[in-house]
Amino acid sequence: MGLEQVLNARSVAVVGASKVPTKRGYQTIRTLLDEGYEGAIYPVNPKEPSIMGLKCYTAVSEIPGEVDVALIATPARTVPAVLEDCGKKGVKGAIILATGFGETGAKGKSLEGEVLKVAGRHHIRLIGPNTSGMINLKDNLNLVGLKHSPKGDIALLTQSGNMALTLITEAKLQSRKGFTYYVGVGNEADIRFHEYLEFFSQDPDTRTILMYVEGMREGRKFLQQAYKTTENKPVVLLKSGRSSTGKQSAGSHTGALAGMSEVAKGAFERAGIIVIENSDELFPAAESLSSLPPIKNNQIAILADGGGHATIAADTLTDLGVKIPQLEEKTQAKLRAILPGGATVRNPIDVAGGTDDNPAVFADCANIILGDPNVGGLLVVGLFGGYGIRFAESLSLIEEDAAHQIGKMVKRRKKAIIVHSLYNSEKPHSLDLLRYYGVPVYGSLDIACKCIGVLAEYGRYLKRYHAKSDFVLNWEAKAKPEGRQIIGSVYQQDRTALLEAEAKQLLRFHGAAVTSDALATTEDAAAKAAAAMCGKVVLKIASPDILHKSDAKGVRLNLSGKDQVKRAFREIIKNAKAYKANARIEGVLISPMVCKGIEVIIGTKIDDQFGPVIMYGLGGVMVEIIKDVSFRVLPISRRSAQRMIAETKSHPILDGVRGDKPYDKKALVNLLLVCSEIIEAYPQIQEMDLNPVIIHHEGLSIVDARILLNPRSEDKKEGATT
């Protein structure tokens, strides 16, 4: 069932209705009445005949009229019985306020499971549990009890009631913006983030979606929906749980799989979501995106009445990846004609006192600057709004007229304008006029720059949007019969780890460059295989029970001649048995030594929230020490593979340093694509580790490969929607 009848309910039962003003069962009814909700309100309390002039009912099932939604404001232990009663009535949705469910441990998870079974049996959709409620501001359906929430065009989804209160209060006190809906997602036990996102993406009154997330139960479905949504509506998200302490806090609060990781951040950004890391930037970012057009060319101009702020803004925007182009000569000429001789007109533009006695010059400059084809948006920094306070009261009216002109420019020019004002806290009328026209104003220069940054980021995303990069895994489509045979054989032998030779063979079937190895079960066979390789060789233990060969002293390098090979064979077998007496030993793998090059690692795993992901970075011990790695949710495109490499700090090494020739990045990109294809082809794979991979000036060599499978009982397509 969709969310229409839940979020746009025309009738509400308040279970746990109360006459006590501090109780939610009182506050909700009071707010619904005070704010003019036009739907039916049914208090449910067996001990009261009426509340606030409304007849009380002993149970939801006794209500004579239709009930779309039940707000359940009773203790957790009572919820299953209340839902059973709601089911008899045919209630479409329920909002469960109580804590004491999955967020509290095993006992709470069991109760949450019971609640879900009852709801599923009666086709009741659930918001929560552990939620502050929901508000539909368009219909005055306020099931939170938070009064005077501002109406607007931003949909708000959070897993924290306090964050919601903060954002709603900020909107009310510092903005002209407001909300279409607020939903406290809570534990996300039934209705998931991607379902809310789909609903808001189709809501004609919602322009931007603002989210605070602690954990997400179906991350891949969310990414798939976000990718569809962000093509038309911006999504702004703050994800908590980056630190280990934050993860613990988030887990106890939501009962979901929590934790901000590089995987999550990269996945969100790839889906077009604007990821915010500082809570004080969250609402301003949403406000800017809901008010202004995106900056299409990633180039902005800075208009200032002081060099200091202009310089700081230029530095901050550069750090955010926004370009500050030089203005065309004819634009500069027009600015020189209205500004004093000391003004700087290249960009940033410093009016050099040219507005002190006439702040209307700001509007004239803005109009000229926005006419420059190199400029996609404008940041005004400094005193605007405060000239009547700082210099002469008579200038206030001039500022107000300038505000009218600047405000109208956004619609006329179809370019964004954001204003930073030192006098924002003074609340002059000129700044309120700017907000009336949808021009955001901030007292913090950092926040103003960040808002320009998110407008440019969204513009860049829309420019590169491609419908094929949709996070959908086409399971088994490119599986090879030989690959299926390898995996089937491994399972038949009651193993979950491929031998290195099997892993390399699977890679070879998909076109990867692997070494030509030989498996020997005797020292004579090892010597014969080594002699056939015409050069130095490597010997490695082959055992499904010894995954980390070096730990077992199961590797020997740079061997030549039959005596060295035979001796190494005997030592490796002896070390393996000493390391793990009951280990199954298939033999010793003989591989040719590869030429020197750049050592990298490629790995895949199943992420708790997003399913299959891939990692790339420097190989060997360096990956653990430097941690210079990048991640992507699979599958990846060629462009994604290229960006993975470019994102690492070490990527310039591949271009060659100090006269060294460049290394074969094309071969590396192709290998990343092969790994993506293999994981998509065989859903049985739980983890793959290629370490090291040696990148040469031409080509590459996969020196070691490890592939782990899911236990046979867990052989499933993780984290995917086909």
Side-chain angles (χ1 to χ4, degrees):
M1 187 183 77
L3 306 186
E4 177 70 24
Q5 285 184 281
V6 180
L7 299 181
N8 295 336
R10 303 309 306 161
S11 53
V12 179
V14 180
V15 183
S18 175
K19 289 184 175 180
V20 180
T22 57
K23 299 287 188 181
R24 281 294 300 274
Y26 174 93
Q27 295 167 359
T28 300
I29 296 173
R30 182 76 274 161
T31 306
L32 288 171
L33 292 172
D34 289 348
E35 296 189 352
Y37 173 61
E38 295 182 357
I41 306 169
Y42 301 110
V44 177
N45 185 330
K47 297 180 181 179
E48 298 288 350
S50 66
I51 292 177
M52 286 175 258
L54 299 173
K55 180 182 176 180
C56 276
Y57 297 88
T58 59
V60 175
S61 58
E62 293 188 2
I63 296 171
E66 187 173 304
V67 178
D68 287 338
V69 164
L71 178 75
I72 303 176
T74 58
R77 67 180 184 278
T78 69
V79 173
V82 172
L83 284 175
E84 283 284 8
D85 187 56
C86 289
K88 294 176 186 177
K89 182 62 185 172
V91 172
K92 308 301 187 301
I95 300 166
I96 304 172
L97 302 179
T99 58
F101 291 92
E103 78 280 2
T104 60
K107 188 176 180 181
K109 287 179 182 177
S110 176
L111 180 58
E112 191 170 298
E114 184 182 352
V115 164
L116 284 171
K117 284 181 181 179
V118 176
R121 190 163 60 247
H122 294 291
H123 308 290
I124 301 171
R125 301 309 309 271
L126 304 178
I127 296 177
N130 185 21
T131 175
S132 58
M134 61 82 62
I135 307 174
N136 173 342
L137 288 107
K138 299 186 293 181
D139 295 334
N140 299 316
L141 174 59
N142 189 334
L143 301 181
V144 175
L146 182 61
K147 297 181 179 180
H148 310 303
S149 299
K151 297 181 181 182
D153 54 16
I154 300 172
L156 175 60
L157 275 173
T158 90
Q159 285 179 305
S160 165
N162 279 354
M163 277 299 297
L165 181 60
T166 297
L167 293 165
I168 291 170
T169 302
E170 185 175 353
K172 185 162 51 176
L173 297 179
Q174 300 180 27
S175 170
R176 276 181 168 262
K177 301 296 288 187
F179 303 92
T180 50
Y181 295 87
Y182 157 63
V183 179
V185 177
N187 287 10
E188 202 191 1
D190 174 35
I191 304 176
R192 304 296 167 88
F193 273 110
H194 67 272
E195 295 180 87
Y196 293 118
L197 203 59
E198 182 180 12
F199 177 86
F200 294 136
S201 69
Q202 296 171 0
D203 177 51
D205 299 308
T206 296
R207 293 189 61 182
T208 297
I209 301 161
L210 175 57
M211 303 178 63
Y212 169 76
V213 177
E214 292 179 347
M216 194 170 283
R217 294 184 185 270
E218 295 190 60
R220 184 170 288 268
K221 287 184 178 179
F222 174 76
L223 293 176
Q224 290 169 354
Q225 180 57 52
Y227 201 79
K228 298 174 186 175
T229 301
T230 54
E231 185 185 11
N232 300 303
K233 292 184 182 181
V235 178
V236 183
L237 182 148
L238 173 65
K239 174 78 166 63
S240 67
R242 291 196 297 267
S243 66
S244 58
T245 304
K247 290 177 184 178
Q248 293 170 7
S249 174
S252 65
H253 189 61
T254 67
L257 296 166
M260 178 59 165
S261 64
E262 289 305 310
V263 174
K265 188 173 185 292
F268 290 150
E269 289 176 347
R270 179 178 153 199
I273 295 169
I274 305 298
V275 179
I276 302 296
E277 297 188 4
N278 299 313
S279 60
D280 60 345
E281 297 171 346
L282 187 56
F283 181 78
E287 176 184 26
S288 298
L289 286 163
S290 69
S291 304
L292 299 169
I295 296 172
K296 297 178 180 179
N297 63 355
N298 195 40
Q299 298 190 146
I300 71 105
I302 300 169
L303 174 61
D305 51 16
H309 281 124
T311 303
I312 294 169
D315 289 344
T316 303
L317 288 169
T318 300
D319 290 342
L320 290 170
V322 181
K323 296 178 181 178
I324 303 168
Q326 183 173 324
L327 302 181
E328 288 190 343
E329 183 53 45
K330 62 180 180 180
T331 305
Q332 295 185 42
K334 290 177 182 178
L335 290 171
R336 289 191 195 98
I338 62 171
L339 292 174
T344 302
V345 296
R346 291 169 60 85
N347 194 18
I349 301 95
D350 181 359
V351 299
T355 54
D356 286 0
D357 59 356
N358 184 12
V361 172
F362 269 115
D364 297 332
C365 290
N367 191 45
I368 293 169
I369 293 165
L370 290 178
D372 192 303
N374 293 330
V375 174
L378 175 65
L379 175 64
V380 179
V381 301
L383 299 177
F384 189 83
Y387 281 81
I389 300 170
R390 170 70 176 84
F391 296 110
E393 190 175 342
S394 59
L395 298 179
S396 295
L397 291 175
I398 299 175
E399 283 186 293
E400 291 167 13
D401 183 62
H404 281 294
Q405 294 182 54
I406 292 172
K408 292 174 182 177
M409 280 180 210
V410 173
K411 187 174 182 179
R412 187 174 74 251
R413 294 285 191 181
K414 294 181 173 56
K415 294 182 179 181
I417 302 175
I418 285 179
V419 174
H420 156 257
S421 174
L422 297 173
Y423 288 87
N424 185 53
S425 59
E426 300 284 342
K427 298 184 178 180
H429 185 54
S430 55
L431 299 186
D432 193 48
L433 284 171
L434 287 174
R435 294 189 177 99
Y436 169 80
Y437 285 103
V439 176
V441 182
Y442 304 109
S444 163
L445 182 55
D446 287 337
I447 288 177
C449 290
K450 179 64 177 180
C451 290
I452 284 285
V454 301
L455 290 168
E457 180 182 345
Y458 189 52
R460 292 195 298 270
Y461 171 76
L462 293 176
K463 192 173 183 179
R464 69 173 187 265
Y465 181 88
H466 196 296
K468 290 184 178 180
S469 302
D470 56 6
F471 300 95
V472 175
L473 285 157
N474 192 6
W475 289 111
E476 301 182 295
K478 295 185 179 180
K480 309 288 185 183
E482 302 91 339
R484 289 194 177 103
Q485 187 175 355
I486 289 173
I487 290 174
S489 175
V490 171
Y491 276 137
Q492 286 174 3
Q493 296 175 44
D494 197 27
R495 292 190 278 130
T496 55
L498 275 65
L499 298 172
E500 182 181 339
E502 293 169 328
K504 286 184 174 179
Q505 194 174 12
L506 183 62
L507 286 157
R508 186 181 291 111
F509 288 144
H510 286 267
V514 296
T515 53
S516 297
D517 304 334
L519 183 66
T521 55
T522 67
E523 59 183 78
D524 288 334
K528 184 178 179 180
M533 291 181 183
C534 301
K536 292 188 176 183
V537 296
V538 179
L539 268 62
K540 293 179 278 188
I541 190 66
S543 169
D545 301 314
I546 300 176
L547 299 180
H548 299 285
K549 305 176 188 71
S550 297
D551 292 348
K553 298 180 181 179
V555 180
R556 290 291 185 273
L557 305 174
N558 288 309
L559 303 173
S560 60
K562 65 179 181 180
D563 292 338
Q564 281 191 5
V565 171
K566 286 183 177 182
R567 183 167 58 252
F569 182 97
R570 294 192 297 270
E571 290 173 351
I572 285 172
I573 296 293
K574 180 181 177 181
N575 291 342
K577 290 179 177 178
Y579 178 76
K580 195 171 186 178
N582 61 346
R584 291 169 289 178
I585 298 175
E586 304 290 337
V588 173
L589 194 70
I590 295 88
S591 308
M593 284 289 294
V594 302
C595 300
K596 290 184 178 181
I598 303 297
E599 191 172 315
V600 303
I601 180 174
I602 297 172
T604 72
K605 69 169 189 171
I606 306 298
D607 183 79
D608 289 336
Q609 298 184 77
F610 303 111
V613 300
I614 189 168
M615 179 199 75
Y616 160 78
L618 283 180
V621 295
M622 299 300 286
V623 70
E624 297 177 2
I625 297 171
I626 300 177
K627 297 180 180 178
D628 182 22
V629 295
S630 61
F631 293 90
R632 285 293 185 281
V633 172
L634 292 171
I636 58 172
S637 64
R638 180 169 295 276
R639 189 171 188 277
S640 290
Q642 292 167 340
R643 288 174 66 86
M644 281 187 76
I645 297 167
E647 283 174 9
T648 59
K649 296 176 183 177
S650 57
H651 82 271
I653 296 173
L654 295 172
D655 294 325
V657 293
R658 295 187 177 181
D660 193 12
K661 293 191 298 182
Y663 292 84
D664 197 339
K665 284 196 286 187
K666 183 178 180 180
L668 179 55
V669 167
N670 289 338
L671 179 57
L672 287 166
L673 292 173
V674 165
C675 291
S676 177
E677 179 181 296
I678 287 174
I679 298 304
E680 196 171 8
Y682 309 102
Q684 301 91 341
I685 295 176
Q686 184 181 69
E687 185 177 320
M688 179 164 63
D689 186 28
L690 310 184
N691 184 27
V693 175
I694 307 298
I695 313 300
H696 308 298
H697 297 301
E698 291 186 13
L700 55 79
S701 302
I702 301 171
V703 176
D704 199 358
R706 181 169 64 99
I707 295 177
L708 301 180
L709 306 179
N710 293 311
R712 196 60 180 266
S713 60
E714 298 177 16
D715 179 10
K716 58 187 179 180
K717 300 174 177 63
E718 293 279 354
T721 299
T722 55

